[in-house]
Amino acid sequence: MSRILIPVMLFLLLVLEGVALDLLPVSFIANELQLVPHWVLIFLILKIMFFDGEDTSASVIHGLIFGFLIDVVYTGVLGVYMFCYALVIYMIHSLVKVLHANFYAAILLSIIGIALTDIFINIIFSVAGITEMIWQDYLLYRLIPTALANGLFLFVLYPLLTKLLMKWKEERYSKGSTYF
């Protein structure tokens, strides 16, 4: 069942990322803050922590696929999100081996993952000449608000998503099947 539901949930989060800012009050968005929802990335980080085994590459593959879909749907440059999501998911997967899977580790790894992803994307867009933002402005008006908003999203959905992922992991191992 998780073989079907995880990609469906990722796709749903991908769609919801596009309408997330439309749901916020206009006065909140009208200022200089730039919030970028990284809900797919947060779900993939939770998936690494509470569903994947140590040797699985399913989350990296999902990062490639859904990063590419984000590139196609929301950006004009193909491959940026695909590369950044896959790279950050791989890096977080390495860190999960060191930390225990709990709420504090999920917050820490999600904030690290969001920050790294957003910084990598900004560097690539800056080198390509797509964006020209001074690093102090980037930190103040984009990175910090993005990390806080996505941290709030994680805080709200953590209990539901972790229980669901752990249940699917238990079902997967009780049947003796692999994910891919």
Side-chain angles (χ1 to χ4, degrees):
M1 187 64 142
S2 62
R3 187 176 295 207
I4 296 168
L5 289 178
I6 287 176
V8 168
M9 288 181 73
L10 285 166
F11 185 75
L12 180 64
L13 288 171
L14 174 84
V15 171
L16 289 175
E17 280 183 8
V19 298
L21 296 180
D22 294 336
L23 301 175
L24 293 175
V26 176
S27 61
F28 188 71
I29 299 174
N31 59 15
E32 296 179 5
L33 298 179
Q34 297 178 5
L35 301 175
V36 180
H38 290 292
W39 298 348
V40 170
L41 181 68
I42 290 172
F43 183 82
L44 289 173
I45 290 171
L46 290 177
K47 181 179 174 283
I48 287 173
M49 294 182 74
F50 298 103
F51 182 78
D52 287 348
E54 288 187 22
D55 297 326
T56 185
S57 60
S59 292
V60 175
I61 292 170
H62 282 138
L64 284 169
I65 293 168
F66 285 93
F68 180 73
L69 288 174
I70 289 171
D71 285 330
V72 169
V73 175
Y74 299 120
T75 68
V77 182
L78 294 181
V80 175
Y81 275 81
M82 180 178 74
F83 170 75
C84 292
Y85 273 22
L87 178 65
V88 168
I89 291 298
Y90 181 76
M91 293 168 64
I92 296 294
H93 183 67
S94 300
L95 290 174
V96 167
K97 295 176 185 177
V98 177
L99 299 172
H100 295 286
N102 59 35
F103 176 73
Y104 300 112
I107 293 287
L108 177 67
L109 292 177
S110 294
I111 298 298
I112 289 170
I114 290 164
L116 285 174
T117 300
D118 214 61
I119 289 169
F120 290 160
I121 290 168
N122 190 52
I123 289 171
I124 292 170
F125 282 168
S126 294
V127 169
I130 296 171
T131 184
E132 296 179 12
M133 187 179 275
I134 300 169
W135 279 100
Q136 291 130 351
D137 290 342
Y138 168 75
L139 180 69
L140 186 62
Y141 297 119
R142 179 168 169 164
L143 185 62
I144 292 173
T146 295
L148 291 175
N150 285 294
L152 180 63
F153 174 78
L154 173 68
F155 186 75
V156 170
L157 290 181
Y158 175 84
L160 173 68
L161 291 178
T162 54
K163 287 179 184 177
L164 196 59
L165 289 169
M166 288 190 295
K167 177 184 163 197
W168 289 342
K169 181 178 184 176
E170 185 178 306
E171 289 174 3
R172 179 179 73 169
Y173 285 120
S174 67
K175 292 179 184 176
S177 66
T178 59
Y179 187 69
F180 273 139

